[in-house]
Amino acid sequence: MKKLILSLVALLATATMSAQKMLVLYYSETGTTKTVAQELQKQLIADIESIECVTPYTGNFQETIQRGQREMQSKEWPALKPLTKKIADYDVVFLGYPIWFGTYANPIYTLLNEQDFSGKTVVPFCTFGTSGLETSTDALRKALPKATVVDGFGLRKARIAEAEKEVGQFLKTKKYKKD
Ligand SMILES: Cc1cc2nc3c(=O)[nH]c(=O)nc-3n(C[C@H](O)[C@H](O)[C@H](O)COP(=O)(O)O)c2cc1C
């Protein structure tokens, strides 16, 4: 009887885990973070949505540096197109962005101001030239005190060809997927 109850509890726990609704939500200017986002979506079999600016950045490095700095100084963050998915419908949000100026890219500031992440588990993921996962994760924890921001995943742009393997390894280590 005790064994039966234990198996039932285990079964229920597994069912609850797999019932977690997951969304991969990301911003990508030049496609690097998009590659990681698509890999996460594929391996998790999650929903996916990209964050789009009303006035897109041009994809030109110098122009984005200049516009980005202007926005940072004035704190006038870029307007976003409405999301088609509702954050409220999900338990876990994988939130992706490129690192800009040492932290998450400017469109994420707008997103955090507009959306309610209370009670959600947020898994940060990012791509960068050199680094930025830790700094941006700390910034997310400060910006989202009512969410649980867990340790996330970062990949250097120069290693983007390793995305499939690295994402798989991350998801396995953190037990988001079994094999
Ligand atoms: C405005 C701007 C600022 C950046 N700042 C940083 C930085 O502080 N540290 C870093 O490692 N990479 C930085 N990068 C490089 C990007 O994080 C990197 O190229 C990223 O993979 C681009 O992702 P995407 O293709 O998804 O837009 C910056 C790039 C831009 C355009």
Side-chain angles (χ1 to χ4, degrees):
M1 187 63 183
K2 199 172 161 193
K3 257 191 187 165
L4 182 71
I5 292 172
L6 279 176
S7 345
L8 279 174
V9 168
L11 198 69
L12 201 67
T14 317
T16 316
M17 280 287 284
S18 56
Q20 292 246 313
K21 280 208 76 186
M22 297 190 194
L23 174 66
V24 177
L25 179 63
Y26 71 97
Y27 174 72
S28 180
E29 187 195 10
T30 55
T32 320
T33 312
K34 181 179 181 180
T35 301
V36 175
Q38 288 177 331
E39 201 52 57
L40 281 165
Q41 188 275 330
K42 202 173 80 189
Q43 296 194 32
L44 287 165
I45 318 173
D47 289 347
I48 187 165
E49 173 148 23
S50 76
I51 297 160
E52 302 287 340
C53 296
V54 172
T55 307
Y57 295 84
T58 59
N60 174 288
F61 184 74
Q62 283 310 327
E63 285 173 6
T64 302
I65 292 278
Q66 277 171 22
R67 176 176 162 186
Q69 277 176 337
R70 264 202 318 274
E71 291 170 346
M72 288 209 109
Q73 275 153 18
S74 63
K75 291 200 163 47
E76 283 177 22
W77 307 116
L80 303 182
K81 293 184 184 170
L83 296 180
T84 61
K85 306 269 194 298
K86 285 201 195 92
I87 304 283
D89 291 344
Y90 296 89
D91 307 295
V92 183
V93 180
F94 285 74
L95 181 60
Y97 44 83
I99 296 296
W100 285 6
F101 312 115
T103 188
Y104 42 74
N106 292 12
I108 303 299
Y109 287 87
T110 320
L111 181 92
L112 301 181
N113 287 337
E114 289 178 352
Q115 300 290 334
D116 184 7
F117 286 87
S118 308
K120 306 295 169 192
T121 296
V122 175
V123 187
F125 68 96
C126 56
T127 68
F128 39 74
T130 52
S131 63
L133 175 62
E134 286 77 16
T135 325
S136 61
T137 302
D138 287 349
L140 278 176
R141 287 188 176 127
K142 286 204 184 87
L144 299 175
K146 292 181 180 165
T148 304
V149 180
V150 299
D151 289 344
F153 173 80
L155 190 64
R156 281 176 61 194
K157 185 176 177 157
R159 301 194 60 241
I160 195 63
E162 309 296 318
E164 181 178 1
K165 198 180 77 195
E166 297 278 330
V167 163
Q169 198 61 44
F170 169 73
L171 293 179
K172 245 190 284 175
T173 309
K174 299 289 183 187
K175 301 198 171 18
Y176 291 110
K177 73 166 196 179
K178 281 205 193 79
D179 42 57

